[in-house]
Amino acid sequence: MGITRNSYKKRRATGGKQPQFRKKRVYELGRAAANTRIGVKRMRTVRVRGGHIKNRALRLDHGTFSWGSEGISKPSRILDVNYNATNNELVRTKTLVKNAVVSVDATPFRQWYLQHYGVELGRKAEDQGKVSKKVTKKREGRVKQSGQLDSAVSDQFKAGRVLAVVASRPGQSGRCDGYILEGQELAFYQKKMQKKKSKKEAA
């Protein structure tokens, strides 16, 4: 019995069964979930309705993540799955799905920040090497314009990884792209993860 997405298989809002007035149709078919995991890139192509192609990612370990407040995007390595609002099982199995909170390698973002502002995140202020007065002035102007970096974000760079959210659908597009968490959204997910951690320790 194949996977179907028709509506007459579902019960009514009152709980009653609906009559099955026809057999399954090809345009109602569904497919097994991709369950994309972290690992060396492994892809499958699926022919879909209209002769189009979907890229089904079975394993992925890299993605492009944007840093909204800085207006940049960098390809980065996905290290771990930290939180999923849908199901804790998806965290345990490290399954990559849309809206999953993941840890990504902070190195590409740290290198960009050092080049752009002359400040190395997550490390004590040391001599970064000599640069011209023009470059120093330019960097100071950028820092002044952008303002101080959020402490919750900068603290993550000490560990060499930052929290990000997956915005793409790896099982549909074959990509795992997203954005770095900042501000209230970051505080929300950190609180959720802390709550989950303390509950686990209590058990």
Side-chain angles (χ1 to χ4, degrees), residues 111-131:
Q111 287 172 344
W112 177 85
Y113 203 88
L114 175 62
Q115 187 187 3
H116 197 71
Y117 294 111
V119 178
E120 191 157 10
L121 292 169
R123 298 201 182 157
K124 289 178 181 177
E126 294 170 4
D127 185 26
Q128 305 291 348
K130 288 188 176 181
V131 288

Side-chain angles (χ1 to χ4, degrees), residues 2-203:
I3 299 168
T4 185
R5 298 176 68 245
N6 57 35
S7 59
Y8 55 80
K9 289 281 186 185
K10 297 186 79 172
R11 285 175 179 259
R12 293 191 177 97
T14 55
K17 285 187 174 181
Q18 296 193 69
Q20 188 175 340
F21 59 92
R22 65 161 186 242
K23 290 189 176 180
K24 293 175 184 176
R25 298 289 187 261
V26 175
Y27 57 77
E28 293 169 343
L29 75 81
R31 297 184 185 86
N35 291 328
T36 310
R37 306 284 165 83
I38 296 174
V40 179
K41 188 176 179 180
R42 192 189 301 169
M43 302 280 286
R44 296 288 181 272
T45 54
V46 181
R47 185 202 177 273
V48 295
R49 189 169 162 85
H52 300 292
I53 296 292
K54 277 185 185 179
N55 294 309
R56 184 87 79 231
L58 304 180
R59 299 279 187 279
L60 281 176
D61 60 353
H62 278 77
T64 304
F65 292 87
S66 64
W67 192 353
S69 63
E70 298 296 339
I72 59 150
S73 293
K74 294 285 173 188
S76 185
R77 192 161 60 93
I78 301 160
L79 303 173
D80 197 9
V81 178
N82 294 74
Y83 181 78
N84 194 309
T86 312
N87 192 349
N88 285 335
E89 195 69 8
L90 298 175
V91 179
R92 190 185 67 80
T93 53
K94 301 190 192 309
T95 305
L96 298 169
V97 291
K98 186 175 177 175
N99 273 350
V101 177
V102 296
S103 292
V104 299
D105 186 18
T107 308
F109 302 101
R110 181 192 281 134
Q111 287 172 344
W112 177 85
Y113 203 88
L114 175 62
Q115 187 187 3
H116 197 71
Y117 294 111
V119 178
E120 191 157 10
L121 292 169
R123 298 201 182 157
K124 289 178 181 177
E126 294 170 4
D127 185 26
Q128 305 291 348
K130 288 188 176 181
V131 288
S132 65
K133 286 181 182 177
K134 188 181 177 182
V135 172
T136 307
K137 196 176 180 182
K138 191 189 282 183
R139 284 175 174 175
E140 284 171 0
R142 284 170 179 169
V143 171
K144 204 173 183 181
Q145 191 179 5
S146 65
Q148 195 67 31
L149 182 66
D150 184 10
S151 60
V153 177
S154 60
D155 288 346
Q156 292 181 75
F157 280 89
K158 292 173 186 173
R161 50 176 67 194
V162 287
L163 290 174
V165 168
V166 177
S168 65
R169 301 171 70 194
Q172 304 287 323
S173 64
R175 295 187 60 85
C176 190
D177 301 334
Y179 59 92
I180 289 175
L181 285 170
E182 296 177 275
Q184 289 183 336
E185 196 176 6
L186 174 61
F188 172 82
Y189 282 116
Q190 281 179 331
K191 194 176 177 183
K192 285 277 186 188
M193 283 185 274
Q194 188 60 43
K195 196 175 179 182
K196 189 175 138 190
K197 193 179 178 183
S198 56
K199 197 180 279 186
K200 197 176 180 182
E201 284 169 0

